[in-house]
């Protein structure tokens, strides 16, 4: 069964706590927090203060923080203090990826690394053994509600094959264009964690959307 991680990017920020608590009550597993700095990606979203509010609203659920920011090593401690359980940085956004991975591990959080659609899996060759999670972007990062990039399915499958070859239990997370009607394709390719924003928060029936994702 897939892990479902609704992205608050598509939630109603005027009723953020209520939206978070509702989707968790309907069966969602994690809460995904998209942090954007207006530099690494063109959009600008939230910081540690809102993340702390998410942590409070989420209770015991996993708070999954995706840092789409340059120099993430400057801020990971702040997001960990705000309550992040998983901290994911972009391989493209930090000069010293191994150092950033070790920094997150030292803070006691689960470590994730994300790859943009154009970035090859080979950039992870020398850190893959040290990761808890790899996030494959299935759209270009920066905005919610985009259509997925079909070429990412072979990329997910190749990553799953490499993890199996190495005997690793690292989770594969996917973010971008994930909807109830296509979720099975991500799972069949090898994904464990499905991030969905508009596919859940904009759905007419959120309960059905979450159930469809979990049963993908």
């Amino acid at each position: 069964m897939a892990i479902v991680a609704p992205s608050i990017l598509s939630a109603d920020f005027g009723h953020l706590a209520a939206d978070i608590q509702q989707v968790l009550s309907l069966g969602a597993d994690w809460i995904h927090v998209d942090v954007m700095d207006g530099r690494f990606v063109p959009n600008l979203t939230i910081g540690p203060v809102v993340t702390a509010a998410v942590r409070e609203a989420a209770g015991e659920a996993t708070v999954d923080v995706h840092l789409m920011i340059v120099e993430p090593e400057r801020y990971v401690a702040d997001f960990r203090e705000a309550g992040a359980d998983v901290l994911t940085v972009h391989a493209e956004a930090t000069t010293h990826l191994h150092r950033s991975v070790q920094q997150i591990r030292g803070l006691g959080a689960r470590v994730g690394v994300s790859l943009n659609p154009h970035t090859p899996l080979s950039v992870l060759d020398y850190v893959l053994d040290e990761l808890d999670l790899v996030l494959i972007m299935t759209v270009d990062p920066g905005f919610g509600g985009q259509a997925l990039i079909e070429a990412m399915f072979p990329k997910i499958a190749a990553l799953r094959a490499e993890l199996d070859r190495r005997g690793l239990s690292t989770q594969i997370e996917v973010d971008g264009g994930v909807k109830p009607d296509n979720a099975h394709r991500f799972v069949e390719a090898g994904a464990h964690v499905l991030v969905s924003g508009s596919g859940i928060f904009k759905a007419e029936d959120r309960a059905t959307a979450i159930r469809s994702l979990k049963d993908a």
Side-chain angles (χ1 to χ4, degrees):
M1 184 173 289
I3 293 170
V4 176
S7 169
I8 65 166
L9 193 61
S10 297
D12 179 354
F13 273 65
H15 303 89
L16 184 57
D19 266 7
I20 290 170
Q21 290 163 1
Q22 183 195 45
V23 295
L24 289 172
S25 73
L26 295 174
D29 304 289
W30 297 4
I31 296 297
H32 187 80
V33 180
D34 286 308
V35 178
M36 306 181 192
D37 62 359
R39 295 177 61 199
F40 181 65
V41 293
N43 203 2
L44 183 66
T45 57
I46 64 176
V49 173
V50 174
T51 302
V54 171
R55 168 76 281 162
E56 183 176 357
E60 298 299 315
T62 294
V63 174
D64 175 32
V65 175
H66 177 195
L67 297 174
M68 289 175 271
I69 63 176
V70 297
E71 300 179 313
E73 60 276 3
R74 296 176 58 193
Y75 304 102
V76 289
D78 294 332
F79 282 97
R80 174 59 174 161
E81 185 177 355
D85 297 300
V86 182
L87 282 165
T88 297
V89 299
H90 269 262
E92 308 88 355
T94 179
T95 303
H96 304 288
L97 181 59
H98 183 270
R99 184 179 297 164
S100 296
V101 167
Q102 294 302 309
Q103 181 186 15
I104 295 169
R105 181 73 67 204
L107 292 168
R110 281 177 270 169
V111 185
V113 171
S114 184
L115 301 179
N116 282 341
H118 74 278
T119 303
L121 295 174
S122 59
V123 302
L124 299 178
D125 281 351
Y126 300 102
V127 297
L128 190 57
D129 292 358
E130 303 186 43
L131 305 181
D132 299 300
L133 179 147
V134 176
L135 172 52
I136 299 293
M137 291 301 301
T138 49
V139 299
D140 290 309
F143 297 95
Q146 299 182 71
L148 69 93
I149 300 171
E150 289 286 333
M152 294 303 99
F153 288 108
K155 186 176 185 180
I156 297 165
L159 175 58
R160 181 59 178 268
E162 179 62 15
L163 292 174
D164 290 345
R165 187 186 73 80
R166 297 193 190 196
L168 299 176
S169 58
T170 308
Q171 292 176 307
I172 300 173
E173 184 173 35
V174 291
D175 185 357
V178 180
K179 308 288 185 184
D181 62 355
N182 64 18
H184 67 283
R185 299 182 64 198
F186 295 96
V187 175
E188 289 166 1
H192 306 93
V193 183
L194 304 178
V195 176
S196 183
S198 58
I200 292 175
F201 285 111
K202 304 303 184 186
E204 291 185 10
D205 185 340
R206 292 178 177 179
T208 298
I210 291 169
R211 187 164 57 251
S212 297
L213 291 168
K214 290 180 73 72
D215 293 342

